[in-house]
């Protein structure tokens, strides 16, 4: 089943990333996305990969104050967290989606998490740790796109089904070139409030 997903817009995430959190927001500048996510303004600057490593060194993958980089792909801005899950934090998700829409993907060795929010409201969210039962203000909104991918109660899904959902339902693309070719706005996210 994995073969059906080759050559898609999020192939980069099908590679060797044991952990990631990526937030996508439609028609919002990367600088505004970082501010809404809670980036420390004193740390935000345009950096290439070498400068990012030099500036943040040992704290590069910190879970409490993760390094975040941001850029654009088509009409979507993206924020890639090097070590945290701030994008899934409900207040952050509400903040980044006000006046627009946001999609968040989180992956670790045990599960994938997905959240879709519009204008400050979480519309659909689920994770793959157990049987999938979406929650949100309209948890069935993406059923037509989810079911063929095995994303629903009693269905079997492929390891990359959540990525395919994001590609199919939202047309989101993110390539290695998007991440590495140019310097990007980056900084440290402040610790999440309890």
């Amino acid at each position: 089943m994995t073969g059906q997903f080759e050559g898609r817009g999020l192939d980069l995430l099908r590679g060797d990333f044991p952990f990631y959190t990526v937030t996508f927001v439609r028609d919002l500048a990367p600088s505004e996305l970082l501010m809404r996510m809670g980036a420390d303004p004193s740390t935000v600057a345009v950096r290439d990969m070498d400068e990012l490593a030099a500036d943040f060194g040992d704290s590069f993958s910190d879970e409490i104050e993760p390094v975040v980089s941001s850029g654009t792909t088509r009409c979507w801005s993206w924020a890639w967290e090097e070590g945290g899950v701030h994008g899934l934090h409900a207040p952050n998700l509400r903040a980044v989606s006000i006046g627009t829409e946001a999609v968040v993907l989180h992956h670790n060795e045990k599960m994938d998490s997905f959240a879709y929010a519009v204008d400050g409201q979480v519309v659909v969210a689920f994770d793959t740790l157990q049987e999938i039962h979406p929650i949100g203000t309209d948890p069935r909104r993406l059923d037509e796109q989810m079911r063929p991918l095995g994303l629903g109660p009693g269905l079997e899904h492929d390891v990359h089904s959540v990525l395919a959902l994001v590609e199919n339902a939202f047309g989101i693309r993110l390539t290695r070139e998007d991440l590495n070719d140019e310097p990007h706005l980056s900084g440290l996210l402040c610790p999440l409030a309890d």
Side-chain angles (χ1 to χ4, degrees), residues 6-142:
E6 291 176 7
R8 305 294 303 271
L10 296 173
D11 280 347
L12 165 73
L13 301 178
R14 290 178 175 88
D16 296 326
F17 291 104
F19 180 95
Y20 60 79
T21 304
V22 185
T23 301
F24 297 94
V25 181
R26 185 184 295 275
D27 298 325
L28 191 70
S31 57
E32 179 66 16
L33 174 54
L34 292 185
M35 292 304 105
R36 289 185 186 194
M37 286 184 73
D40 177 348
S42 70
T43 67
V44 175
V46 175
R47 298 175 178 90
D48 64 23
M49 292 303 287
D50 292 334
E51 293 167 323
L52 198 63
D55 287 354
F56 298 113
D58 294 337
S59 64
F60 201 71
S61 296
D62 189 277
E63 291 179 24
I64 306 298
E65 294 180 80
V67 172
V68 63
S69 298
S70 187
T72 58
T73 179
R74 299 183 183 189
C75 63
W76 296 89
S77 285
W78 52 264
W80 179 287
E81 295 178 51
E82 297 297 337
V85 292
H86 285 52
L88 287 174
H89 188 62
N92 283 4
L93 184 54
R94 286 193 294 270
V96 300
S97 70
I98 291 174
T100 187
E101 62 184 328
V103 175
V104 180
L105 289 170
H106 169 75
H107 171 79
N108 64 44
E109 58 279 346
K110 294 182 182 177
M111 67 174 191
D112 291 302
S113 297
F114 167 88
Y116 171 57
V118 176
D119 203 18
Q121 299 293 315
V122 178
V123 178
V124 179
F126 65 86
D127 66 56
T128 62
L129 188 58
Q130 299 177 8
E131 187 173 83
I132 296 171
H133 292 280
I135 60 170
T137 59
D138 188 2
R140 298 190 66 194
R141 165 115 32 118
L142 299 175

Side-chain angles (χ1 to χ4, degrees), residues 182-193:
E182 298 179 18
H184 295 289
L185 203 58
S186 59
L188 289 177
L189 292 174
C190 294
L192 294 171

Side-chain angles (χ1 to χ4, degrees), residues 111-188:
M111 67 174 191
D112 291 302
S113 297
F114 167 88
Y116 171 57
V118 176
D119 203 18
Q121 299 293 315
V122 178
V123 178
V124 179
F126 65 86
D127 66 56
T128 62
L129 188 58
Q130 299 177 8
E131 187 173 83
I132 296 171
H133 292 280
I135 60 170
T137 59
D138 188 2
R140 298 190 66 194
R141 165 115 32 118
L142 299 175
D143 275 1
E144 190 174 308
Q145 292 89 4
M146 290 174 62
R147 289 198 178 284
L149 298 169
L151 297 170
L155 302 175
E156 280 194 43
H157 61 277
D158 182 273
V159 67
H160 299 302
S161 290
V162 176
L163 295 176
L165 171 65
V166 173
E167 293 164 337
N168 296 346
F170 304 100
I172 292 175
R173 305 292 182 254
L174 185 65
T175 66
R176 190 166 304 282
E177 292 76 30
D178 291 329
L179 288 176
N180 296 329
D181 273 0
E182 298 179 18
H184 295 289
L185 203 58
S186 59
L188 289 177

